[in-house]
Amino acid sequence: MRIPSKACRSTKSTDPRELRKLRADVTAAFPALGTDQASELVPGKEELSIVKLYAHRGDAVTVAPVAIGVAAMSTSEMLTSGLKGRGFSVLHTYEDHLWRSGDKSSPPFIAPLTLDPPDVSEEKGSVQAGPALQDDMRRLTLEGKEEENGEDQQMCGEKTLPEASEDPGVGGLNPDPADSKTLQEQMDELLQQCFLHALKCRIKKTDFPLLTSTFLGSHVFSCCPEGRQLDIKKSSYKKLSKFLQQMQQEQIIQVKELSKGVESIVAVDWKHPRITSFVIPEPSPTSQTIQEGSREQPYHPPDIKPLYCVPASMSLLFQESGHKKGSILEGSEVRMIIINYAKKNDLVDANNKNLVHLDPILCDCILEKSEQHTVMKLPWDSLLTRCLEKLQPAYQVTFPGQEPIVKKGKICPIDITLAQRSYNKKVTVVRNLEAYGLDPCTVAATLQQRCQASTTVTPAPGAKDSLQVQIQGNQVHHLGRLLLEEYQLPRKHIQGLEKAPKPGKKK
């Protein structure tokens, strides 16, 4: 972590007050730590280096960073350099958004850096960890294939993160230990395998012309075996266009620039020896286990509850009940607050209990300007309906086994539309699947099998971090059955079902 010199101050101190304060801060931040562990982290008689950051208002903040990252050098290089310079690329920090989406546990204990390999007997005697702590350590350990040779196994366990990332056996490739091929050569083979797999199993003649970006994102990447990761930048080609150019020179495919700067695959030689001789790899046992686990845990629709947010214009009406601007309420709470307000202020008509007199606060909150001097009473149902309409919409989404998520505004329904593509091809486009806990790639794969039609997943225009599924042809009927019958989503949260082809008419 690099901090501008003007924004921080670094000092060294042996002041016991500073040590006690830091030890108390550490104990408060990590309640799972015991007194002995806190004392080991902040010794009482050693020199302490303190770094204080200064915010834009001048407030001083003491830093105790906890993070997960990828090492930029090996352990020996770190110790040789005196632990100076940039040693890690941070990926995830304690109490960030990723941490909040999990079980919110405290960081596990990690042994100090050591240059020499630890003795097995000393290691067993020095680490006194409970079962839960050992589980945490196992999750942080890179799980690799055990070597028959004991010496190789010990060295494999000592590899740091950067060394492991350079090792062809880590990061998804997992080749035979005796394989002497470089990471680049293995990435070339993986790219070739995914390319041929996509051509042989996922591409049809009716898909052409096919954008090269769509071909890569929706077909090539999906053919990558379980546990392996395809990265074209680590191959000798570096770019997809260069690789496709090579495949075109081998006369496997034909690529054309149909519009300026946009390339598409327009033809494939299905009888090419490399395609006909390609053998589709069998799924790994891990992949089969994951698929079986997914069958045991089918999709369950989220519980969606409408809520109401108090705007500034209605804050006076709700302040007596202890609510202020921005408060989130359920419909039943709003009704009870309005009923109690009317009764407490003697607004119920004495001759007709179904009518409520409107005091100045109610008039300002729920009446239009033209009604201010003409409407003096309202029935209960009309009063409650108007109040709900004047409140700002909000909603709560609860996925099975997760904490409820509250958001302001109205939840966007799953949007189904029809569009015309090149050569007057009709396609079905589906958006907003993520809001209901649905993975667009999973939905696309399911529809591809059900409809026997080409599907693609692309970024949704105008929506940040959202994807849309495109299916060839009018597939609204199949899509409706999938969403309503299998996923059991309420019809009110799906729009566009009326676009399904009428019976007896050509799709």
Side-chain angles (χ1 to χ4, degrees):
M1 178 171 61
R2 296 183 179 180
I3 305 169
S5 58
K6 294 183 179 179
C8 69
R9 185 183 65 184
S10 176
T11 59
K12 293 188 177 181
S13 172
T14 56
D15 190 343
R17 293 175 299 177
E18 292 280 1
L19 296 172
R20 284 196 298 269
K21 183 177 182 303
L22 179 58
R23 193 179 299 116
D25 292 341
V26 170
T27 304
F30 306 102
L33 287 177
T35 305
D36 295 338
Q37 289 176 303
S39 300
E40 289 181 7
L41 289 173
V42 188
K45 296 183 179 181
E46 292 188 9
E47 187 177 64
L48 177 70
S49 297
I50 302 176
V51 178
K52 289 188 177 181
L53 305 184
Y54 292 90
H56 67 284
R57 294 184 178 179
D59 300 330
V61 181
T62 301
V63 178
V66 178
I68 295 176
V70 178
M73 60 182 71
S74 65
T75 304
S76 58
E77 290 174 336
M78 290 183 183
L79 297 176
T80 304
S81 65
L83 299 180
K84 294 182 180 180
R86 183 174 181 178
F88 292 88
S89 297
V90 177
L91 303 176
H92 156 54
T93 60
Y94 180 61
E95 290 192 339
D96 64 3
H97 290 292
L98 180 61
W99 176 86
R100 294 180 188 277
S101 65
D103 58 1
K104 302 180 181 178
S105 59
S106 298
F109 173 80
I110 300 178
L113 290 174
T114 177
L115 184 59
D116 298 323
D119 184 74
V120 177
S121 60
E122 293 179 357
E123 186 177 0
K124 291 183 179 179
S126 61
V127 180
Q128 301 293 332
L133 188 57
Q134 292 176 357
D135 289 340
D136 288 339
M137 290 298 294
R138 280 195 291 269
R139 285 196 294 270
L140 288 175
T141 304
L142 291 174
E143 297 181 357
K145 186 177 181 181
E146 293 185 356
E147 303 289 346
E148 295 181 359
N149 188 305
E151 182 179 356
D152 291 342
Q153 185 176 5
Q154 183 181 14
M155 293 183 65
C156 180
E158 285 184 15
K159 287 181 180 177
T160 57
L161 285 175
E163 292 171 341
S165 64
E166 295 173 1
D167 190 345
V170 181
L173 290 177
N174 194 25
D176 189 275
D179 194 348
S180 60
K181 294 181 180 178
T182 65
L183 175 63
Q184 187 180 80
E185 291 173 339
Q186 295 174 59
M187 193 60 68
D188 286 351
E189 290 184 358
L190 180 59
L191 178 57
Q192 297 270 358
Q193 174 185 323
C194 295
F195 169 76
L196 294 173
H197 191 172
L199 292 182
K200 191 163 187 175
C201 300
R202 298 182 177 272
I203 305 300
K204 301 177 182 178
K205 294 181 180 180
T206 55
D207 295 334
F208 301 132
L210 179 64
L211 291 174
T212 56
S213 57
T214 303
F215 173 67
L216 176 67
S218 300
H219 302 290
V220 175
F221 282 148
S222 60
C223 291
C224 191
E226 187 70 30
R228 305 179 72 176
Q229 185 175 358
L230 177 62
D231 189 347
I232 298 180
K233 292 182 179 179
K234 293 181 180 179
S235 70
S236 61
Y237 302 97
K238 306 301 182 184
K239 295 181 180 180
L240 175 65
S241 58
K242 187 176 179 181
F243 170 74
L244 295 180
Q245 184 180 4
Q246 176 64 32
M247 296 300 100
Q248 183 169 241
Q249 291 178 359
E250 296 183 23
Q251 298 182 353
I252 300 176
I253 60 174
Q254 184 178 356
V255 180
K256 286 187 177 180
E257 189 176 302
L258 299 181
S259 58
K260 187 175 181 180
V262 180
E263 292 186 336
S264 299
I265 299 176
V266 295
V268 174
D269 182 7
W270 306 104
K271 297 181 180 180
H272 195 281
R274 293 195 59 186
I275 297 180
T276 56
S277 62
F278 177 76
V279 179
I280 300 173
E282 295 183 1
S284 64
T286 305
S287 176
Q288 293 176 352
T289 303
I290 293 174
Q291 291 176 0
E292 291 174 1
S294 63
R295 294 191 195 103
E296 295 174 359
Q297 298 179 352
Y299 168 81
H300 292 285
D303 178 43
I304 303 172
K305 181 187 298 183
L307 300 175
Y308 301 90
C309 180
V310 178
S313 60
M314 301 187 71
S315 58
L316 290 177
L317 179 59
F318 288 86
Q319 68 179 5
E320 290 187 7
S321 59
H323 299 284
K324 58 184 181 180
K325 175 188 174 182
S327 296
I328 304 293
L329 302 169
E330 295 185 16
S332 58
E333 293 178 298
V334 175
R335 292 182 179 87
M336 189 56 64
I337 291 172
I338 300 302
I339 292 173
N340 291 339
Y341 178 86
K343 291 181 177 179
K344 182 179 180 180
N345 291 279
D346 297 325
L347 300 179
V348 181
D349 192 286
N351 299 322
N352 186 351
K353 301 295 184 179
N354 190 42
L355 294 177
V356 179
H357 290 276
L358 303 182
D359 65 354
I361 292 179
L362 283 174
C363 288
D364 291 340
C365 289
I366 65 174
L367 293 183
E368 303 295 337
K369 290 185 179 180
S370 59
E371 299 175 321
Q372 293 287 338
H373 303 290
T374 57
V375 179
M376 310 302 296
K377 304 177 185 178
L378 281 176
W380 276 111
D381 57 351
S382 179
L383 174 64
L384 294 172
T385 300
R386 286 185 178 224
C387 284
L388 293 174
E389 291 175 349
K390 292 293 183 179
L391 293 172
Q392 295 175 346
Y395 63 94
Q396 173 182 288
V397 179
T398 306
F399 294 98
Q402 299 184 23
E403 292 293 324
I405 302 173
V406 177
K407 295 184 178 181
K408 293 184 179 181
K410 293 182 178 180
I411 185 169
C412 295
I414 294 178
D415 182 46
I416 304 174
T417 58
L418 296 177
Q420 295 286 344
R421 293 294 185 259
S422 57
Y423 302 102
N424 290 327
K425 290 182 180 179
K426 185 176 291 186
V427 295
T428 306
V429 182
V430 193
R431 300 183 180 92
N432 304 331
L433 292 168
E434 299 95 334
Y436 299 85
L438 290 171
D439 179 19
C441 295
T442 302
V443 174
T446 303
L447 289 171
Q448 185 179 31
Q449 295 178 352
R450 301 283 176 83
C451 308
Q452 292 298 303
S454 173
T455 60
T456 57
V457 179
T458 58
K464 185 180 180 180
D465 300 329
S466 181
L467 300 174
Q468 66 179 18
V469 178
Q470 179 177 296
I471 318 108
Q472 193 174 52
N474 186 338
Q475 308 296 350
V476 178
H477 176 69
H478 291 283
L479 189 55
R481 292 187 60 181
L482 178 66
L483 297 176
L484 295 174
E485 298 178 13
E486 296 192 33
Y487 294 156
Q488 298 181 353
L489 289 169
R491 184 178 288 269
K492 64 181 179 180
H493 293 306
I494 307 172
Q495 67 179 18
L497 293 174
E498 71 281 356
K499 298 181 177 69
K502 304 300 180 183
K505 291 187 177 181
K506 186 178 180 180
K507 292 183 180 181

